[in-house]
Amino acid sequence: DIQMTQSPSSLSASLGDRVTITCRASQAISSYLAWYQQKPGKVPKLLIFGASALQSGVPSRFSGSRSGTDFTLTISSLQPEDVATYYCQKYGTAPPWTFGQGTKVEIK
Amino acid sequence: EVQLLESGGALVQPGGSLRLSCAASGFTFTAYAMSWVRQAPGKGLEWVSAILGGGGLTYYADSVKGRFTISRDNSKNTVFLQMNSVRADDTAVYYCAKGDMATIALFDYWGQGTLVTVSS
């Protein structure tokens, strides 16, 4: 099975900072990579699909990129409402459709 | 507006059974795959099972294969998860999630979740 490894597991940054989260797939998954945001006590929300396509309604400060089997979620300017845990997920044709272990983002 | 409403979560003893339901509305139910995703207390997300729109194809995580069964009633816009031989590590919030038009496991809508607690 393909493993999805996120780093870091948590981070603390100041308001306005640029924040980067990385997700590495253990095998090639093309661009079948999604990012979800889960705010405390809330339901996960789809942010990005296809490694870099923004879901409708998601602020433009969020962006995603791919380099081979390495994927990055970037928040260009951290806002208070971005406090959440972020998960990557592979969603190609073959199960299991694995999530990364999550990255908790806090305000410093 | 897409809505997914789970029900059926409860306290169940190890080895017992439970049936979760997810009532869907606001979209053409038969056109979309549906999944169950769970989250143990304080832990991350784990995909559990998926079923295609027609109900003919199902998929399971190794952790639940042979114990859980996913099904759907397209006449009632409802997807089910039958959980048998439950274990303590099945304790989690179980979310119902809708697949995207083109892919089974790109989850564009999620329900609020239902809590399953396995304990004696």
Side-chain angles (χ1 to χ4, degrees):
Chain A
D1 292 348
I2 297 174
Q3 306 303 314
M4 306 301 294
T5 304
Q6 277 183 245
S7 61
S9 57
S10 66
L11 65 90
S12 180
S14 299
L15 292 175
D17 278 358
R18 184 181 185 89
V19 169
T20 300
I21 300 168
T22 298
C23 177
R24 173 169 289 175
S26 60
Q27 299 175 38
I29 59 168
S30 186
S31 291
Y32 293 108
L33 190 282
W35 290 97
Y36 298 86
Q37 175 193 62
Q38 187 177 31
K39 296 183 178 182
K42 300 298 185 182
V43 173
K45 171 187 172 183
L46 176 63
L47 289 181
I48 287 171
F49 60 96
S52 60
L54 220 58
Q55 177 72 344
S56 175
V58 173
S60 59
R61 64 180 179 275
F62 291 93
S63 64
S65 63
R66 171 198 172 194
S67 177
T69 58
D70 290 340
F71 299 85
T72 299
L73 173 69
T74 299
I75 309 173
S76 61
S77 176
L78 188 66
Q79 300 302 304
E81 59 268 33
D82 301 334
V83 169
T85 299
Y86 294 84
Y87 296 92
C88 64
Q89 181 222 2
K90 65 170 279 283
Y91 66 88
T93 54
W97 291 294
T98 314
F99 291 88
Q101 75 272 30
T103 296
K104 187 175 184 179
V105 174
E106 298 176 320
I107 303 292
K108 191 181 295 182
Chain B
E1 179 192 6
V2 172
Q3 292 193 345
L4 301 171
L5 184 60
E6 302 95 335
S7 61
L11 172 64
V12 58
Q13 292 189 338
S17 297
L18 201 61
R19 189 195 200 200
L20 307 183
S21 300
C22 171
S25 61
F27 62 101
T28 304
F29 186 66
T30 54
Y32 293 90
M34 299 294 295
S35 281
W36 290 94
V37 177
R38 68 184 180 184
Q39 186 169 35
K43 303 297 184 182
L45 301 171
E46 179 188 16
W47 169 78
V48 172
S49 183
I51 185 168
L52 296 193
L57 279 176
T58 58
Y59 305 88
Y60 298 94
D62 285 347
S63 58
V64 306
K65 202 171 293 182
R67 300 187 300 122
F68 291 10
T69 302
I70 191 170
S71 61
R72 63 193 294 161
D73 183 340
N74 285 343
S75 69
K76 296 181 179 179
N77 286 8
T78 301
V79 61
F80 305 98
L81 186 68
Q82 177 67 43
M83 306 170 62
N84 296 333
S85 304
V86 296
R87 312 183 303 220
D89 61 359
D90 293 322
T91 294
V93 173
Y94 284 73
Y95 295 104
C96 172
K98 170 186 166 291
D100 175 69
M101 171 62 79
T103 54
I104 297 170
L106 179 62
F107 305 128
D108 54 1
Y109 289 93
W110 298 63
Q112 291 300 307
T114 188
L115 177 62
V116 173
T117 303
V118 181
S119 175
S120 55

